[in-house]
Coordinates of all heavy atoms in Angstrom, one line a residue:
M1 N 19.1 -45.1 -128.2 CA 17.9 -45.2 -127.4 C 18.1 -45.5 -126.0 O 17.5 -44.9 -125.1 CB 16.9 -46.2 -128.1 CG 15.5 -46.1 -127.7 SD 14.8 -44.6 -128.3 CE 13.3 -45.1 -128.8
R2 N 19.0 -46.4 -125.8 CA 19.3 -46.8 -124.4 C 20.0 -45.6 -123.6 O 19.7 -45.5 -122.5 CB 20.3 -48.0 -124.4 CG 19.6 -49.3 -124.5 CD 20.6 -50.3 -124.4 NE 20.0 -51.4 -123.6 CZ 20.6 -52.4 -123.1 NH1 21.9 -52.5 -123.2 NH2 19.9 -53.3 -122.5
R3 N 20.8 -44.9 -124.3 CA 21.5 -43.8 -123.7 C 20.5 -42.8 -123.2 O 20.6 -42.3 -122.1 CB 22.4 -43.2 -124.7 CG 23.4 -42.3 -124.2 CD 24.3 -41.9 -125.3 NE 25.4 -41.2 -124.7 CZ 26.3 -40.5 -125.4 NH1 26.3 -40.7 -126.7 NH2 27.2 -39.9 -124.8
F4 N 19.5 -42.5 -124.0 CA 18.4 -41.6 -123.6 C 17.7 -42.1 -122.3 O 17.4 -41.3 -121.4 CB 17.5 -41.3 -124.7 CG 16.3 -40.4 -124.4 CD1 16.6 -39.0 -124.2 CD2 15.1 -40.9 -124.2 CE1 15.6 -38.2 -123.8 CE2 14.0 -40.0 -123.8 CZ 14.3 -38.7 -123.6
A5 N 17.4 -43.3 -122.3 CA 16.6 -43.9 -121.2 C 17.5 -43.9 -119.9 O 17.0 -43.6 -118.8 CB 16.2 -45.3 -121.5
A6 N 18.8 -44.1 -120.0 CA 19.7 -44.0 -118.9 C 19.8 -42.6 -118.4 O 19.7 -42.4 -117.1 CB 21.0 -44.6 -119.2
H7 N 19.9 -41.7 -119.3 CA 19.9 -40.3 -118.9 C 18.7 -39.8 -118.1 O 18.7 -39.1 -117.1 CB 20.2 -39.4 -120.1 CG 20.3 -37.9 -119.8 ND1 19.2 -37.1 -119.8 CD2 21.3 -37.2 -119.4 CE1 19.6 -35.9 -119.5 NE2 20.9 -35.9 -119.2
K8 N 17.5 -40.3 -118.6 CA 16.2 -40.0 -118.0 C 16.1 -40.6 -116.6 O 15.7 -40.0 -115.7 CB 15.1 -40.5 -118.9 CG 13.8 -40.0 -118.5 CD 12.7 -40.5 -119.5 CE 11.3 -40.0 -119.1 NZ 10.3 -40.4 -120.0
T9 N 16.7 -41.8 -116.4 CA 16.6 -42.4 -115.1 C 17.5 -41.7 -114.1 O 17.1 -41.5 -113.0 CB 17.1 -43.9 -115.2 OG1 16.4 -44.5 -116.2 CG2 17.0 -44.6 -113.9
I10 N 18.7 -41.2 -114.6 CA 19.5 -40.4 -113.7 C 18.9 -39.1 -113.3 O 18.9 -38.7 -112.2 CB 20.9 -40.2 -114.4 CG1 21.7 -41.5 -114.5 CG2 21.7 -39.2 -113.6 CD1 22.9 -41.4 -115.4
R11 N 18.2 -38.5 -114.3 CA 17.6 -37.2 -114.0 C 16.4 -37.4 -113.0 O 16.3 -36.6 -112.1 CB 17.0 -36.6 -115.3 CG 16.5 -35.2 -115.1 CD 16.0 -34.6 -116.3 NE 14.8 -35.3 -116.7 CZ 14.2 -35.2 -117.9 NH1 14.7 -34.4 -118.8 NH2 13.1 -35.8 -118.1
N12 N 15.7 -38.5 -113.1 CA 14.6 -38.8 -112.2 C 15.2 -39.1 -110.8 O 14.6 -38.7 -109.8 CB 13.7 -39.9 -112.7 CG 12.8 -39.5 -113.8 OD1 12.6 -38.3 -114.0 ND2 12.3 -40.4 -114.5
A13 N 16.3 -39.7 -110.7 CA 16.9 -40.1 -109.5 C 17.4 -38.8 -108.8 O 17.2 -38.6 -107.6 CB 18.1 -41.0 -109.7
N14 N 18.0 -37.9 -109.5 CA 18.4 -36.6 -109.0 C 17.2 -35.8 -108.5 O 17.2 -35.1 -107.4 CB 19.2 -35.8 -110.0 CG 20.5 -36.3 -110.3 OD1 21.1 -37.1 -109.5 ND2 21.1 -36.0 -111.4
H15 N 16.1 -35.8 -109.2 CA 14.9 -35.1 -108.9 C 14.3 -35.7 -107.6 O 13.9 -34.9 -106.7 CB 13.9 -35.2 -110.0 CG 12.7 -34.4 -109.7 ND1 12.6 -33.0 -109.8 CD2 11.4 -34.8 -109.5 CE1 11.4 -32.6 -109.5 NE2 10.6 -33.7 -109.3
A16 N 14.3 -37.0 -107.4 CA 13.8 -37.7 -106.2 C 14.7 -37.3 -105.0 O 14.2 -37.1 -103.9 CB 13.7 -39.2 -106.5
A17 N 16.0 -37.3 -105.2 CA 16.9 -36.9 -104.1 C 16.7 -35.5 -103.6 O 16.7 -35.3 -102.4 CB 18.4 -37.1 -104.6
K18 N 16.5 -34.6 -104.6 CA 16.2 -33.2 -104.1 C 14.8 -33.2 -103.4 O 14.7 -32.4 -102.4 CB 16.1 -32.3 -105.4 CG 17.5 -31.9 -105.9 CD 17.3 -31.0 -107.1 CE 18.7 -30.7 -107.7 NZ 18.5 -29.9 -108.9
A19 N 13.9 -33.9 -103.9 CA 12.6 -33.9 -103.3 C 12.7 -34.5 -101.8 O 12.0 -33.9 -100.9 CB 11.6 -34.8 -104.1
R20 N 13.4 -35.5 -101.6 CA 13.6 -36.1 -100.3 C 14.3 -35.1 -99.4 O 14.1 -34.9 -98.2 CB 14.3 -37.4 -100.4 CG 13.5 -38.6 -100.7 CD 14.2 -39.9 -100.5 NE 15.4 -40.0 -101.3 CZ 15.5 -40.4 -102.5 NH1 14.4 -40.8 -103.2 NH2 16.7 -40.5 -103.1
K21 N 15.3 -34.4 -99.9 CA 16.1 -33.4 -99.2 C 15.2 -32.3 -98.6 O 15.4 -31.9 -97.5 CB 17.2 -32.9 -100.1 CG 18.1 -31.9 -99.3 CD 19.2 -31.3 -100.3 CE 20.0 -30.3 -99.6 NZ 21.0 -29.7 -100.5
F22 N 14.3 -31.8 -99.4 CA 13.5 -30.7 -99.0 C 12.2 -31.1 -98.4 O 11.3 -30.3 -98.1 CB 13.2 -29.7 -100.2 CG 14.5 -29.1 -100.6 CD1 15.1 -29.4 -101.9 CD2 15.1 -28.1 -99.8 CE1 16.2 -28.8 -102.3 CE2 16.3 -27.5 -100.2 CZ 16.8 -27.8 -101.5
G23 N 11.9 -32.5 -98.3 CA 10.7 -33.0 -97.7 C 9.5 -32.7 -98.5 O 8.4 -32.4 -97.9
V24 N 9.6 -32.8 -99.8 CA 8.4 -32.6 -100.6 C 8.1 -33.9 -101.4 O 9.0 -34.7 -101.6 CB 8.6 -31.4 -101.6 CG1 8.7 -30.1 -100.8 CG2 9.8 -31.6 -102.4
G25 N 6.9 -33.9 -102.0 CA 6.6 -35.1 -102.8 C 7.3 -35.1 -104.1 O 7.7 -34.1 -104.6
F26 N 7.4 -36.2 -104.7 CA 8.2 -36.4 -105.9 C 7.4 -35.8 -107.1 O 8.0 -35.3 -108.0 CB 8.5 -37.9 -106.1 CG 9.2 -38.2 -107.4 CD1 10.5 -37.7 -107.6 CD2 8.6 -38.8 -108.4 CE1 11.2 -38.0 -108.8 CE2 9.2 -39.1 -109.6 CZ 10.5 -38.7 -109.8
S27 N 6.1 -35.9 -107.1 CA 5.4 -35.6 -108.3 C 5.3 -34.1 -108.6 O 5.6 -33.7 -109.7 CB 3.9 -36.2 -108.2 OG 3.3 -35.5 -107.2
R28 N 5.0 -33.3 -107.7 CA 4.8 -31.8 -108.0 C 5.7 -30.9 -107.1 O 5.4 -29.7 -107.1 CB 3.4 -31.5 -107.9 CG 2.5 -32.1 -108.9 CD 1.2 -31.6 -108.9 NE 0.3 -32.2 -109.8 CZ -0.9 -32.0 -110.0 NH1 -1.5 -31.1 -109.3 NH2 -1.7 -32.6 -110.9
M29 N 6.6 -31.5 -106.4 CA 7.4 -30.7 -105.5 C 6.6 -29.9 -104.5 O 6.9 -28.8 -104.2 CB 8.3 -29.8 -106.3 CG 9.3 -30.5 -107.2 SD 10.6 -31.4 -106.3 CE 11.6 -30.0 -105.9
R30 N 5.5 -30.5 -104.0 CA 4.7 -29.8 -102.9 C 5.0 -30.5 -101.6 O 5.3 -31.7 -101.6 CB 3.3 -29.9 -103.3 CG 2.9 -29.0 -104.4 CD 1.4 -29.0 -104.5 NE 1.0 -28.2 -105.7 CZ -0.1 -28.2 -106.3 NH1 -1.1 -29.0 -105.8 NH2 -0.4 -27.4 -107.3
P31 N 4.8 -29.9 -100.5 CA 5.0 -30.5 -99.2 C 4.1 -31.7 -99.0 O 2.9 -31.6 -99.4 CB 4.7 -29.4 -98.2 CG 4.9 -28.2 -98.9 CD 4.5 -28.5 -100.4
T32 N 4.6 -32.8 -98.5 CA 3.8 -34.0 -98.3 C 3.2 -34.0 -96.9 O 2.5 -34.9 -96.6 CB 4.7 -35.2 -98.5 OG1 5.8 -35.2 -97.6 CG2 5.1 -35.4 -99.9
H33 N 3.6 -33.1 -96.0 CA 3.0 -33.0 -94.7 C 2.6 -31.6 -94.3 O 3.0 -30.7 -94.9 CB 4.1 -33.5 -93.7 CG 5.5 -32.9 -93.9 ND1 5.8 -31.6 -93.7 CD2 6.6 -33.5 -94.4 CE1 7.0 -31.4 -94.1 NE2 7.5 -32.5 -94.5
P34 N 1.6 -31.5 -93.4 CA 1.1 -30.1 -93.1 C 2.2 -29.3 -92.4 O 3.2 -29.8 -91.9 CB -0.1 -30.4 -92.1 CG 0.0 -31.8 -91.7 CD 0.9 -32.5 -92.7
K35 N 2.0 -28.0 -92.4 CA 2.9 -27.1 -91.8 C 3.1 -27.3 -90.3 O 4.2 -27.1 -89.8 CB 2.4 -25.6 -92.0 CG 2.9 -25.0 -93.2 CD 2.6 -23.5 -93.1 CE 3.3 -22.8 -94.2 NZ 3.0 -21.4 -94.2
S36 N 2.1 -27.8 -89.6 CA 2.2 -28.0 -88.1 C 3.3 -29.0 -87.8 O 3.9 -29.0 -86.7 CB 0.9 -28.4 -87.5 OG 0.5 -29.6 -88.1
Q37 N 3.6 -30.0 -88.7 CA 4.5 -31.0 -88.4 C 6.0 -30.5 -88.8 O 6.9 -31.1 -88.3 CB 4.2 -32.2 -89.2 CG 3.0 -32.9 -88.8 CD 2.6 -34.1 -89.6 OE1 3.3 -34.4 -90.6 NE2 1.6 -34.8 -89.3
I38 N 6.1 -29.4 -89.5 CA 7.4 -28.9 -89.9 C 8.1 -28.2 -88.7 O 9.3 -28.3 -88.6 CB 7.3 -28.0 -91.1 CG1 6.8 -28.7 -92.3 CG2 8.6 -27.3 -91.4 CD1 6.5 -27.8 -93.5
Q39 N 7.3 -27.6 -87.9 CA 7.9 -26.8 -86.8 C 8.6 -27.7 -85.8 O 8.2 -28.8 -85.6 CB 6.8 -26.0 -86.1 CG 6.1 -25.0 -87.0 CD 5.0 -24.3 -86.2 OE1 4.6 -24.7 -85.2 NE2 4.4 -23.3 -86.8
N40 N 9.7 -27.1 -85.2 CA 10.4 -27.8 -84.2 C 9.6 -27.8 -82.9 O 9.2 -26.8 -82.5 CB 11.8 -27.0 -84.0 CG 12.7 -27.8 -83.1 OD1 12.4 -28.8 -82.6 ND2 13.8 -27.2 -82.9
P41 N 9.4 -28.9 -82.3 CA 8.6 -29.0 -81.1 C 9.2 -28.2 -79.9 O 8.6 -27.8 -79.0 CB 8.5 -30.5 -80.8 CG 9.6 -31.1 -81.5 CD 9.9 -30.2 -82.7
K42 N 10.5 -27.9 -80.0 CA 11.2 -27.2 -78.9 C 11.2 -25.7 -79.1 O 11.6 -25.0 -78.2 CB 12.6 -27.7 -78.8 CG 12.8 -29.1 -78.3 CD 14.2 -29.5 -78.2 CE 14.3 -31.0 -77.8 NZ 15.7 -31.4 -77.6
S43 N 10.7 -25.2 -80.2 CA 10.7 -23.8 -80.5 C 9.4 -23.2 -79.9 O 8.4 -23.9 -79.7 CB 10.7 -23.5 -82.0 OG 9.5 -24.0 -82.6
G44 N 9.4 -21.9 -79.6 CA 8.3 -21.2 -79.0 C 8.3 -21.1 -77.5 O 9.3 -21.5 -76.8
F45 N 7.2 -20.6 -76.9 CA 7.1 -20.4 -75.5 C 6.1 -21.2 -74.9 O 5.0 -21.5 -75.6 CB 6.8 -18.9 -75.2 CG 7.9 -17.9 -75.7 CD1 7.6 -17.2 -76.8 CD2 9.1 -17.8 -75.0 CE1 8.6 -16.3 -77.2 CE2 10.0 -17.0 -75.5 CZ 9.8 -16.2 -76.6
T46 N 6.2 -21.7 -73.7 CA 5.2 -22.4 -73.0 C 4.2 -21.5 -72.4 O 4.5 -20.3 -72.2 CB 5.8 -23.4 -71.9 OG1 6.4 -22.6 -70.9 CG2 6.8 -24.3 -72.5
L47 N 3.1 -22.0 -71.9 CA 2.1 -21.2 -71.3 C 2.6 -20.6 -70.0 O 2.3 -19.5 -69.6 CB 0.8 -22.1 -71.0 CG -0.4 -21.3 -70.5 CD1 -0.8 -20.3 -71.4 CD2 -1.5 -22.3 -70.2
I48 N 3.4 -21.4 -69.2 CA 3.9 -20.9 -67.9 C 4.9 -19.8 -68.2 O 4.8 -18.8 -67.4 CB 4.7 -22.1 -67.2 CG1 3.7 -23.3 -67.0 CG2 5.3 -21.6 -65.9 CD1 3.0 -23.4 -65.7
E49 N 5.7 -19.9 -69.2 CA 6.7 -18.8 -69.4 C 5.9 -17.5 -69.8 O 6.3 -16.4 -69.4 CB 7.6 -19.2 -70.6 CG 8.6 -20.3 -70.2 CD 9.4 -20.8 -71.4 OE1 8.8 -20.7 -72.5 OE2 10.5 -21.3 -71.2
S50 N 4.9 -17.7 -70.7 CA 4.1 -16.5 -71.1 C 3.4 -15.9 -69.9 O 3.4 -14.6 -69.8 CB 3.1 -16.9 -72.2 OG 3.8 -17.5 -73.3
A51 N 2.8 -16.7 -69.1 CA 2.1 -16.1 -67.9 C 3.1 -15.4 -66.9 O 2.8 -14.4 -66.4 CB 1.4 -17.3 -67.2
L52 N 4.2 -16.0 -66.7 CA 5.2 -15.4 -65.8 C 5.7 -14.1 -66.4 O 5.9 -13.1 -65.7 CB 6.4 -16.3 -65.6 CG 7.4 -15.9 -64.6 CD1 6.8 -15.8 -63.2 CD2 8.6 -16.9 -64.6
T53 N 5.9 -14.0 -67.7 CA 6.3 -12.7 -68.4 C 5.2 -11.7 -68.2 O 5.5 -10.5 -67.9 CB 6.6 -13.0 -69.9 OG1 7.5 -14.0 -70.0 CG2 7.0 -11.7 -70.5
I54 N 4.0 -12.1 -68.4 CA 2.9 -11.1 -68.2 C 2.8 -10.6 -66.8 O 2.6 -9.4 -66.5 CB 1.5 -11.7 -68.6 CG1 1.5 -11.9 -70.1 CG2 0.4 -10.9 -68.2 CD1 0.3 -12.7 -70.6
V55 N 3.0 -11.4 -65.8 CA 3.0 -11.0 -64.4 C 4.2 -10.0 -64.1 O 4.0 -9.0 -63.4 CB 3.1 -12.2 -63.5 CG1 3.4 -11.8 -62.0 CG2 1.8 -13.0 -63.5
I56 N 5.3 -10.3 -64.6 CA 6.5 -9.5 -64.3 C 6.3 -8.1 -65.0 O 6.5 -7.1 -64.4 CB 7.8 -10.2 -64.8 CG1 8.1 -11.4 -63.9 CG2 8.9 -9.2 -64.9 CD1 9.2 -12.2 -64.5
I57 N 5.8 -8.1 -66.2 CA 5.7 -6.8 -66.9 C 4.5 -6.0 -66.3 O 4.7 -4.8 -66.1 CB 5.4 -7.1 -68.4 CG1 6.7 -7.6 -69.1 CG2 4.9 -5.8 -69.1 CD1 6.5 -8.0 -70.5
S58 N 3.4 -6.7 -65.9 CA 2.3 -5.9 -65.3 C 2.8 -5.3 -63.9 O 2.3 -4.2 -63.5 CB 1.1 -6.8 -65.2 OG 1.4 -7.9 -64.3
T59 N 3.6 -6.1 -63.2 CA 4.1 -5.6 -61.9 C 4.9 -4.3 -62.1 O 4.8 -3.3 -61.4 CB 4.9 -6.6 -61.2 OG1 4.1 -7.8 -61.0 CG2 5.4 -6.1 -59.8
G60 N 5.8 -4.3 -63.1 CA 6.6 -3.2 -63.5 C 5.7 -2.0 -63.9 O 6.0 -0.8 -63.5
V61 N 4.7 -2.2 -64.7 CA 3.8 -1.1 -65.1 C 3.1 -0.5 -63.9 O 3.0 0.7 -63.8 CB 2.8 -1.6 -66.2 CG1 1.7 -0.6 -66.5 CG2 3.6 -1.9 -67.5
L62 N 2.6 -1.4 -63.0 CA 1.9 -0.8 -61.8 C 2.9 0.0 -61.0 O 2.5 1.0 -60.4 CB 1.3 -2.0 -61.1 CG 0.1 -2.6 -61.7 CD1 -0.4 -3.9 -60.9 CD2 -1.1 -1.7 -61.8
A63 N 4.1 -0.5 -60.8 CA 5.1 0.3 -60.0 C 5.4 1.6 -60.7 O 5.5 2.6 -59.9 CB 6.4 -0.5 -59.9
I64 N 5.5 1.7 -62.0 CA 5.7 3.0 -62.6 C 4.5 3.9 -62.5 O 4.7 5.1 -62.2 CB 6.0 2.7 -64.1 CG1 7.4 2.1 -64.3 CG2 5.9 4.0 -64.9 CD1 7.7 1.7 -65.7
M65 N 3.3 3.3 -62.5 CA 2.1 4.2 -62.3 C 2.0 4.7 -60.9 O 1.7 5.9 -60.7 CB 0.8 3.3 -62.6 CG 0.6 3.1 -64.1 SD -0.8 2.0 -64.5 CE -2.1 2.9 -63.8
A66 N 2.4 3.9 -59.9 CA 2.4 4.4 -58.5 C 3.4 5.5 -58.3 O 3.2 6.5 -57.6 CB 2.7 3.2 -57.6
A67 N 4.6 5.3 -58.9 CA 5.6 6.3 -58.8 C 5.2 7.6 -59.5 O 5.4 8.7 -59.0 CB 6.9 5.8 -59.5
Q68 N 4.5 7.5 -60.6 CA 4.0 8.7 -61.3 C 3.0 9.5 -60.4 O 3.0 10.7 -60.4 CB 3.4 8.3 -62.6 CG 3.0 9.5 -63.5 CD 2.5 9.1 -64.8 OE1 2.2 7.9 -65.1 NE2 2.3 10.1 -65.7
Q69 N 2.1 8.7 -59.7 CA 1.2 9.3 -58.8 C 1.9 10.1 -57.7 O 1.5 11.2 -57.4 CB 0.3 8.3 -58.2 CG -1.1 8.2 -58.8 CD -2.0 7.2 -58.0 OE1 -1.5 6.3 -57.4 NE2 -3.2 7.4 -58.2
A70 N 2.9 9.5 -57.2 CA 3.7 10.1 -56.1 C 4.4 11.4 -56.6 O 4.4 12.4 -55.9 CB 4.7 9.2 -55.5
F71 N 4.9 11.3 -57.8 CA 5.6 12.5 -58.4 C 4.6 13.6 -58.6 O 4.9 14.8 -58.3 CB 6.2 12.2 -59.8 CG 7.3 11.2 -59.7 CD1 7.5 10.3 -60.8 CD2 8.1 11.0 -58.6 CE1 8.6 9.4 -60.7 CE2 9.1 10.1 -58.5 CZ 9.4 9.3 -59.6
H72 N 3.3 13.3 -59.0 CA 2.3 14.4 -59.2 C 1.9 15.0 -57.9 O 1.8 16.2 -57.8 CB 1.1 13.8 -59.9 CG 1.2 13.6 -61.4 ND1 1.4 14.7 -62.2 CD2 1.3 12.5 -62.2 CE1 1.5 14.3 -63.5 NE2 1.4 12.9 -63.4
K73 N 1.8 14.2 -56.8 CA 1.5 14.7 -55.5 C 2.6 15.7 -55.0 O 2.3 16.7 -54.5 CB 1.3 13.6 -54.5 CG -0.1 12.9 -54.7 CD -0.2 11.8 -53.7 CE -1.5 11.1 -53.9 NZ -1.7 9.9 -53.0
K74 N 3.9 15.2 -55.2 CA 5.0 16.1 -54.7 C 5.1 17.3 -55.5 O 5.4 18.4 -55.0 CB 6.3 15.3 -54.8 CG 6.4 14.2 -53.8 CD 6.6 14.8 -52.4 CE 6.8 13.6 -51.4 NZ 7.0 14.1 -50.1
N75 N 4.8 17.2 -56.8 CA 4.8 18.4 -57.7 C 3.8 19.4 -57.3 O 4.0 20.6 -57.2 CB 4.7 18.0 -59.1 CG 4.9 19.1 -60.1 OD1 5.6 20.1 -59.8 ND2 4.3 19.1 -61.3
D76 N 2.6 18.9 -57.0 CA 1.5 19.8 -56.5 C 1.9 20.5 -55.2 O 1.6 21.7 -55.0 CB 0.2 19.0 -56.3 CG -1.0 19.8 -56.0 OD1 -1.2 20.9 -56.7 OD2 -1.8 19.5 -55.1
W77 N 2.4 19.7 -54.3 CA 2.9 20.3 -53.0 C 3.9 21.3 -53.2 O 3.9 22.4 -52.6 CB 3.4 19.2 -52.1 CG 3.9 19.7 -50.8 CD1 3.1 20.0 -49.7 CD2 5.2 20.1 -50.5 NE1 3.9 20.5 -48.7 CE2 5.2 20.6 -49.1 CE3 6.4 20.1 -51.1 CZ2 6.4 21.0 -48.5 CZ3 7.6 20.5 -50.5 CH2 7.5 21.0 -49.2
A78 N 4.9 21.1 -54.1 CA 6.0 22.0 -54.3 C 5.4 23.3 -55.0 O 5.9 24.4 -54.6 CB 7.0 21.4 -55.2
Q79 N 4.5 23.2 -55.9 CA 3.9 24.3 -56.5 C 3.1 25.2 -55.5 O 3.3 26.4 -55.5 CB 2.9 23.9 -57.6 CG 2.4 25.0 -58.4 CD 1.5 24.6 -59.6 OE1 1.2 23.4 -59.7 NE2 1.0 25.5 -60.4
R80 N 2.3 24.6 -54.6 CA 1.6 25.3 -53.6 C 2.6 26.0 -52.6 O 2.4 27.1 -52.2 CB 0.7 24.4 -52.9 CG -0.5 24.0 -53.7 CD -1.4 23.0 -52.9 NE -2.4 22.4 -53.7 CZ -3.6 22.7 -53.7 NH1 -4.1 23.6 -52.8 NH2 -4.5 22.1 -54.5
N81 N 3.7 25.3 -52.3 CA 4.7 25.8 -51.3 C 5.3 27.0 -51.9 O 5.5 28.1 -51.3 CB 5.7 24.7 -51.0 CG 6.6 25.1 -49.8 OD1 6.2 26.0 -49.1 ND2 7.7 24.4 -49.7
S82 N 5.7 26.9 -53.2 CA 6.4 28.1 -53.8 C 5.5 29.3 -54.0 O 5.9 30.4 -53.8 CB 7.0 27.7 -55.2 OG 6.0 27.3 -56.1
T83 N 4.2 29.0 -54.3 CA 3.2 30.1 -54.4 C 3.0 30.8 -53.1 O 3.0 32.0 -53.0 CB 1.9 29.6 -55.0 OG1 2.1 28.9 -56.2 CG2 0.9 30.7 -55.1
G84 N 3.0 30.0 -52.0 CA 2.8 30.5 -50.6 C 4.0 31.4 -50.2 O 3.8 32.5 -49.6
L85 N 5.2 30.9 -50.6 CA 6.4 31.6 -50.2 C 6.5 33.0 -51.0 O 6.8 34.0 -50.4 CB 7.6 30.8 -50.5 CG 7.9 29.7 -49.5 CD1 9.1 28.9 -50.0 CD2 8.3 30.3 -48.1
L86 N 6.1 32.9 -52.3 CA 6.1 34.1 -53.1 C 5.1 35.2 -52.5 O 5.4 36.3 -52.4 CB 5.7 33.8 -54.5 CG 5.7 34.9 -55.5 CD1 7.1 35.5 -55.7 CD2 5.1 34.5 -56.8
R87 N 3.9 34.7 -52.1 CA 2.9 35.6 -51.6 C 3.4 36.2 -50.2 O 3.1 37.3 -49.9 CB 1.6 35.0 -51.5 CG 0.9 34.8 -52.8 CD -0.5 34.2 -52.7 NE -1.1 34.1 -54.0 CZ -2.3 33.6 -54.2 NH1 -3.0 33.2 -53.2 NH2 -2.7 33.5 -55.4
A88 N 4.0 35.3 -49.4 CA 4.5 35.8 -48.1 C 5.6 36.8 -48.3 O 5.6 37.8 -47.5 CB 5.0 34.6 -47.3
N89 N 6.5 36.6 -49.2 CA 7.5 37.6 -49.5 C 6.9 38.9 -50.0 O 7.4 40.0 -49.6 CB 8.5 37.1 -50.5 CG 9.5 36.2 -49.9 OD1 9.8 36.2 -48.7 ND2 10.1 35.3 -50.7
E90 N 5.9 38.9 -50.9 CA 5.3 40.1 -51.3 C 4.5 40.8 -50.2 O 4.6 42.0 -50.1 CB 4.3 39.8 -52.4 CG 4.9 39.4 -53.8 CD 3.9 39.1 -54.9 OE1 2.7 39.2 -54.6 OE2 4.3 38.7 -56.0
L91 N 3.9 40.1 -49.3 CA 3.2 40.7 -48.2 C 4.2 41.3 -47.2 O 4.0 42.4 -46.7 CB 2.4 39.6 -47.4 CG 1.5 40.1 -46.3 CD1 0.5 41.0 -46.8 CD2 0.9 38.9 -45.6
R92 N 5.4 40.7 -47.0 CA 6.4 41.2 -46.1 C 7.0 42.5 -46.7 O 7.3 43.5 -46.0 CB 7.5 40.2 -45.9 CG 8.5 40.6 -44.8 CD 9.6 39.6 -44.7 NE 10.2 39.6 -46.1 CZ 11.4 39.0 -46.3 NH1 12.1 38.5 -45.3 NH2 12.0 39.1 -47.4
E93 N 7.1 42.6 -48.0 CA 7.7 43.8 -48.7 C 6.7 44.9 -48.6 O 7.1 46.1 -48.6 CB 8.0 43.5 -50.1 CG 9.3 42.6 -50.3 CD 9.5 42.3 -51.8 OE1 8.8 42.8 -52.6 OE2 10.5 41.5 -52.0
L94 N 5.4 44.6 -48.6 CA 4.4 45.7 -48.5 C 4.3 46.3 -47.1 O 3.9 47.5 -47.0 CB 3.0 45.1 -48.9 CG 2.8 44.8 -50.4 CD1 1.5 44.2 -50.7 CD2 3.0 46.1 -51.3
T95 N 4.6 45.6 -46.1 CA 4.5 46.2 -44.7 C 5.8 46.7 -44.2 O 6.8 46.7 -44.7 CB 4.1 45.1 -43.8 OG1 4.9 44.0 -43.8 CG2 2.7 44.6 -44.1

C-alpha cells in the first residue's frame, strides 16, 4: 500500500513539473494566464515604425504613378510624331 502511495506522489510531482514548465494550471492543464500576457513585449511593430513604413511605401507608389503618367504622355507624342512622318512621306511620294 505504501508503495502505491509513493508512486502516486511521484507521478503527481512529475505532472506538476510539466505544468510549471508549460505555464499551465495543475488541475486541467489549461493556461493560468490570458494570451495577452504570453506575448513577448519586445515583439511586433511600434506605431512610429508602422507610420514611417506607410509614408515610405506611399511615396514610392506616388512616384511610380507620376512616372507612368510621363510614359503615357511620351508614348502619345511618339505615336502622333510617327503618324505625321508617315503621312508626310506618303504626301511626298504622291507629288
Side-chain angles (χ1 to χ4, degrees):
M1 196 71 138
R2 277 186 141 191
R3 194 172 186 189
F4 178 71
H7 182 265
K8 189 174 182 181
T9 305
I10 291 171
R11 189 177 70 190
N12 285 342
N14 289 338
H15 184 71
K18 285 181 184 178
R20 280 192 301 275
K21 180 179 177 183
F22 294 111
V24 294
F26 177 69
S27 64
R28 293 188 182 178
M29 298 291 281
R30 289 189 182 162
T32 57
H33 43 73
K35 270 189 168 180
S36 62
Q37 293 177 356
I38 295 174
Q39 295 175 352
N40 186 1
K42 293 181 180 181
S43 67
F45 298 105
T46 62
L47 185 62
I48 304 265
E49 291 171 334
S50 301
L52 186 61
T53 303
I54 289 172
V55 167
I56 291 171
I57 289 175
S58 61
T59 303
V61 168
L62 288 175
I64 290 172
M65 288 175 59
Q68 188 178 9
Q69 258 185 336
F71 296 151
H72 281 295
K73 286 181 182 178
K74 289 291 183 180
N75 189 24
D76 187 45
W77 178 84
Q79 186 178 5
R80 289 176 191 254
N81 191 19
S82 63
T83 302
L85 285 173
L86 181 65
R87 288 187 178 175
N89 280 336
E90 286 181 4
L91 184 63
R92 190 183 59 164
E93 286 178 5
L94 288 176
T95 58

